[in-house]
C-alpha cells in the first residue's frame, strides 16, 4: 500500500528523484538530504509502513541483512571509522518522516554527527523488576 501524501512513498517508488545507491523490488536506499555525516543513507521500503510497529515481518527480517551488506560496502568506499545504524519511531523519539526508514550513518573520527544520549542511573533491584515485567 502506498500513501499519496507521503514523501518517502514517492521517493521509494521513483516518483521523486533521489540519490539512490541501492534498489530492489522491496526497498530503495538513498542519500539523506540533511546528512549527519558524509554518506548518510536511508533504507526505505517501497510499501508504506509508518513505523516499526506496522512493519511487515518478512521485510523486517530482510532489512538488517541489507543494512549489514551496505555498511560493509560503504565502509570500503568511504573509509569511515565506524558506523551508526538507527531508526526512530514516533515524534518523541525523533521521527520526522512517518514512513519507516533505517538510518545508515558512516562515522569519522572528529565528525560532528553527535548521535548520543545522556546515560541515566539504575539500581540492581529496579532493573531486576523491570526485566521481569518485560521478559517475553
Ligand atoms: P527521522 O527524523 O524521521 O528519523 O529521519 C528523517 C530523515 O529524512 C532526516 O534525516 C531528513 O534529513 C531526511 N529527509 C527528509 N526529507 C527528505 C527528502 O525529501 N529527501 C531525502 N533524501 N531525505 C529527506
Ligand atoms: Zn510512505
Amino acid at each position: 500500500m502506498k500513501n499519496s501524501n507521503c514523501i518517502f512513498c514517492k521517493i521509494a517508488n521513483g516518483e521523486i528523484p533521489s540519490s539512490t545507491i541501492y534498489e530492489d523490488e522491496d526497498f530503495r536506499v538513498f542519500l539523506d538530504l540533511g546528512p549527519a555525516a558524509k554518506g548518510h543513507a536511508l533504507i526505505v521500503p517501497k510499501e508504506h509502513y509508518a513505523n516499526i510497529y506496522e512493519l511487515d515481518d518478512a521485510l523486517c527480517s530482510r532489512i538488517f541483512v541489507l543494512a549489514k551488506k551496505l555498511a560493509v560496502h560503504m565502509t570500503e568506499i568511504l573509509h569511515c571509522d565506524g558506523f551508526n545504524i538507527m531508526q526512530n519511531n514516533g515524534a518523541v523519539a525523533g521521527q520526522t518522516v512517518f514512513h519507516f526508514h533505517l538510518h545508515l550513518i558512516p562515522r569519522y573520527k572528529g565528525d560532528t554527527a553527535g548521535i548520543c544520549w545522556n546515560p541515566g542511573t539504575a539500581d540492581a533491584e529496579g532493573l531486576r523488576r523491570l526485566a521481569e515485567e518485560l521478559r517475553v
Side-chain angles (χ1 to χ4, degrees):
M1 193 185 73
K2 281 47 170 187
N3 179 332
S4 57
N5 295 318
C6 172
I7 182 101
F8 278 10
C9 277
K10 293 190 173 109
I11 293 175
N13 291 283
E15 289 170 46
I16 293 178
S18 63
S19 304
T20 295
I21 64 171
Y22 174 88
E23 183 182 6
D24 64 25
E25 201 182 322
D26 297 318
F27 299 104
R28 184 184 294 271
V29 184
F30 53 90
L31 297 178
D32 196 297
L33 264 187
K38 182 183 173 188
H40 182 169
L42 304 169
I43 301 182
V44 178
K46 291 186 174 179
E47 292 295 314
H48 183 87
Y49 306 96
N51 50 43
I52 198 159
Y53 305 112
E54 292 186 1
L55 186 62
D56 174 82
D57 282 357
L59 284 186
C60 193
S61 68
R62 288 189 50 212
I63 282 179
F64 222 76
V65 176
L66 180 56
K68 183 204 162 173
K69 180 175 164 176
L70 288 168
V72 169
H73 173 74
M74 291 166 77
T75 298
E76 274 171 17
I77 293 180
L78 295 168
H79 304 292
C80 53
D81 304 302
F83 222 95
N84 287 119
I85 295 176
M86 60 179 291
Q87 198 269 315
N88 301 323
N89 297 283
V92 71
Q95 186 174 11
T96 57
V97 177
F98 295 89
H99 175 130
F100 177 96
H101 51 282
L102 190 68
H103 292 264
L104 302 176
I105 308 178
R107 299 300 303 271
Y108 307 87
K109 283 184 189 125
D111 73 28
T112 55
I115 297 158
C116 62
W117 59 84
N118 298 321
T121 55
D123 61 277
E125 179 55 16
L127 291 179
R128 190 194 64 74
R129 279 199 206 156
L130 184 56
E132 209 162 279
E133 192 181 338
L134 295 174
R135 192 164 297 135
V136 181

